[in-house]
Amino acid sequence: MTRTEQIDEVIRAYPKDQRFALAVLQDLQHAFNYIPEEGLDALADYLGCPVAQLYAMATFYKALSLKPKGKHIIKCCDGTACHLRGSTNLVNAVERAIGLKPGETAEDGEFSLELVNCMGACALAPILVVDGTIHSKVTAEQVPGLLESHRSQTPAGSADAGAAAPAAKEA
């Protein structure tokens, strides 16, 4: 199936009603790990609305991205508890291990690093979430091994990964 056919399939799963725009954008995000420009254009045509309106939605919600993401998404919590317990050290360790700063995707498309405000797991601080799996009380020394263990796995968001709920792991 071509990319255009995939986009069309996602869009046509919904009625031609602007109230479904966010749901379609979320499904495009899930299907491609970002929202392709041609997806925005096709959805605007389908709904009969300006691309700018969809662009505004896609840039407003942090869960949506217009830039391609890596196969494996690393989220480092920088909420108060995680920050106080060394999340900055974890970000630095990721940068040393794979050369990424927050908001970047590796050139090989393997990893993306995101800094998030709070994951709501303060008792487990500091945490890294990789492909939906929570790694608690992580130290900078554990980061390289943790990333390497995920490198060889199928990403949690992919169709091959199954529907299991994210598990908390102490790193």
Side-chain angles (χ1 to χ4, degrees):
M1 180 181 296
T2 69
R3 181 186 188 96
T4 303
E5 290 170 335
Q6 286 179 285
I7 290 169
D8 192 50
E9 184 178 297
V10 168
I11 291 171
R12 297 206 184 282
Y14 291 89
K16 285 186 177 187
D17 189 328
Q18 287 189 24
R19 67 187 167 136
F20 295 106
L22 182 57
V24 175
L25 292 174
Q26 289 171 320
D27 284 357
L28 288 169
Q29 174 78 33
H30 181 73
F32 298 99
N33 224 7
Y34 80 109
I35 301 168
E37 185 177 342
E38 60 266 35
L40 283 179
D41 294 338
L43 181 57
D45 287 345
Y46 184 71
L47 296 177
C49 69
V51 174
Q53 179 180 330
L54 300 173
Y55 181 85
M57 288 176 102
T59 56
F60 177 78
Y61 293 103
K62 284 202 175 240
L64 302 176
S65 175
L66 297 173
K67 291 179 8 183
K69 299 276 186 165
K71 287 191 293 188
H72 302 283
I73 309 295
I74 306 162
K75 295 182 181 185
C76 184
C77 182
D78 197 37
T80 304
C82 287
H83 188 81
L84 290 173
R85 292 184 184 156
S87 62
T88 303
N89 296 333
L90 300 183
V91 171
N92 292 337
V94 170
E95 184 175 359
R96 283 191 304 276
I98 57 176
L100 291 182
K101 293 182 180 185
E104 294 181 342
T105 296
E107 286 184 24
D108 65 2
E110 192 71 22
F111 289 101
S112 290
L113 175 61
E114 300 175 356
L115 194 61
V116 296
N117 293 329
C118 184
M119 298 294 291
C122 301
L124 304 175
I127 64 170
L128 280 180
V129 177
V130 185
D131 297 335
T133 300
I134 299 168
H135 299 276
S136 62
K137 300 180 182 176
V138 179
T139 65
E141 294 77 20
Q142 294 169 322
V143 169
L146 189 148
L147 296 179
E148 195 54 42
S149 72
H150 280 276
R151 185 182 298 276
S152 61
Q153 296 177 5
T154 302
S158 76
D160 298 339
K169 292 182 183 177
E170 284 208 25

